[in-house]
Amino acid sequence: MELTTTAARPGLRHRMQQLIYGFFTAQTLHVAVRLRIPDLLADGARDVGDLAAATGADAPSLRRLLRALVFLEVLDEPAPGTFALTEQGEVLRADVTGSMRELVLLLSGPESWAAWGQLEHSVRTGEVAWEHVHGRSCFDHLMADPQRQAAFNAAMAEGSRAFVPTLLSAYDFGDLRTVVDVGGGSGALLAGVLAAHPHLRGTVFDTPDGVADAARTVAEQGVADRCGVEAGDFFVSVPPGADAYVLKSILHDWDDEECVRVLRTVRRAVRPDSRVVLVESLMPTTVTTAPSVAQVVMNDLNMMVCHGGRERTVAEFRELLRAAGFRLESVTPCPAPSVVGILEATPTPVTGPDGS
């Protein structure tokens, strides 16, 4: 009699097949965005020959890609060989609010692709796969490649613009007067906050490359008269004396030692009544199979592979803050489906020369 094993169950095999094929999906989306398919379909359906001419692609091969995009619900095929953009596909256009185009290019581009190919190296050694493959850190790589730096900035700006309504719904800026966005990049997050709160003044602070587009961003949002832009190194100093210091998706890039260095820099800059506002994904104490958890655990692997950072639990953030001279006062989860939490901290009395 033939034994029926768990591995032979069709449903389980189908689910595992979907997981195994996951990288197929990432590269399908990457090539579609590289060819600007969503942008080319912004004004309506087009046939494959027209799209092949517009992209310089081989028409039969392009049709095979487009069929896969139909399966992924990025495109529709209203008639054989004619393709149209779906509502899901709209988010891959370059010119829409909430676009994720640059994120696709960033995460599935050749540099990240090569680093993820060395995931096993990180797991076995604890080392950063990106550095193993490319011979330098991800941030050093960005600084040496202006085109990739611009793409990285654009991807971060996309995410920040999309996150502004969520942040405003979860955190009250009403009793603040001055805010510094530490590592604020293009200024998209702070500009959105200032636009919603006319009483606020702010400063976008990041590296010179990071703030390259910040002046333009705050001007486009109409808040340039209330928002300064400063370049520097948050391991060395940040603008002093603000009511609040916002760090969005900064600490997850770094290991614990570097996180404490950043927070101690902020500690030296704050007033006794200032606040530190961390905006970070929160790793659950016990991981479940909830769809929202996938974003946290997979991005945690991405931090390990590309930066040497990590996603953290509330307890781990509390310990980082304590080591840097802050006390965690509150944790506010953002509305679902976001996995982000807002952690507010206040300075504890200074007990040493480093502010810890």
Side-chain angles (χ1 to χ4, degrees), residues 42 47 67-68 74 106 128 137 139 182-183 197 199 225 256 261 276 280 301 316 322 335:
D47 65 53
R67 286 192 309 220
V74 172
L106 177 69
V128 182
S137 75
F139 290 121
V182 179
H197 292 283
H199 72 285
D225 60 327
D256 289 354
R261 283 184 62 200
V276 169
E280 294 276 356
L301 290 182
E316 289 168 330
R322 185 207 61 77

Side-chain angles (χ1 to χ4, degrees), residues 134-285:
H134 298 296
R136 55 187 173 186
S137 75
C138 183
F139 290 121
D140 286 342
H141 191 82
L142 291 176
M143 287 189 290
D145 184 345
Q147 185 174 1
R148 184 170 174 83
Q149 177 75 60
F152 177 83
N153 290 350
M156 296 303 100
E158 281 179 353
S160 292
R161 279 192 295 270
F163 184 72
V164 167
T166 300
L167 176 61
L168 292 173
S169 71
Y171 189 78
D172 184 10
F173 289 86
D175 62 343
L176 301 174
R177 295 294 171 187
T178 55
V179 179
V180 174
D181 189 354
V182 179
S186 72
L189 184 78
L190 186 55
V193 171
L194 296 184
H197 292 283
H199 72 285
L200 271 179
R201 303 185 69 84
T203 302
V204 181
F205 181 82
D206 209 325
T207 64
D209 289 330
V211 296
D213 297 325
R216 177 176 57 82
T217 299
V218 300
E220 289 174 349
Q221 286 284 327
V223 297
D225 60 327
R226 295 185 285 120
C227 189
V229 177
E230 294 189 27
D233 181 350
F234 55 42
F235 287 109
V236 178
S237 66
V238 298
D243 293 344
Y245 290 79
V246 175
L247 291 82
K248 178 188 177 294
S249 303
I250 300 300
L251 298 186
H252 78 156
D253 286 335
W254 306 96
D255 63 25
D256 289 354
E257 182 179 350
E258 298 294 87
C259 286
V260 172
R261 283 184 62 200
V262 174
L263 290 170
R264 284 179 174 170
T265 302
V266 176
R267 180 66 183 83
R268 291 191 293 270
V270 301
R271 306 190 314 258
D273 60 342
S274 297
R275 308 175 196 172
V276 169
V277 181
L278 305 182
V279 183
E280 294 276 356
S281 295
L282 298 179
M283 178 70 74
T285 304

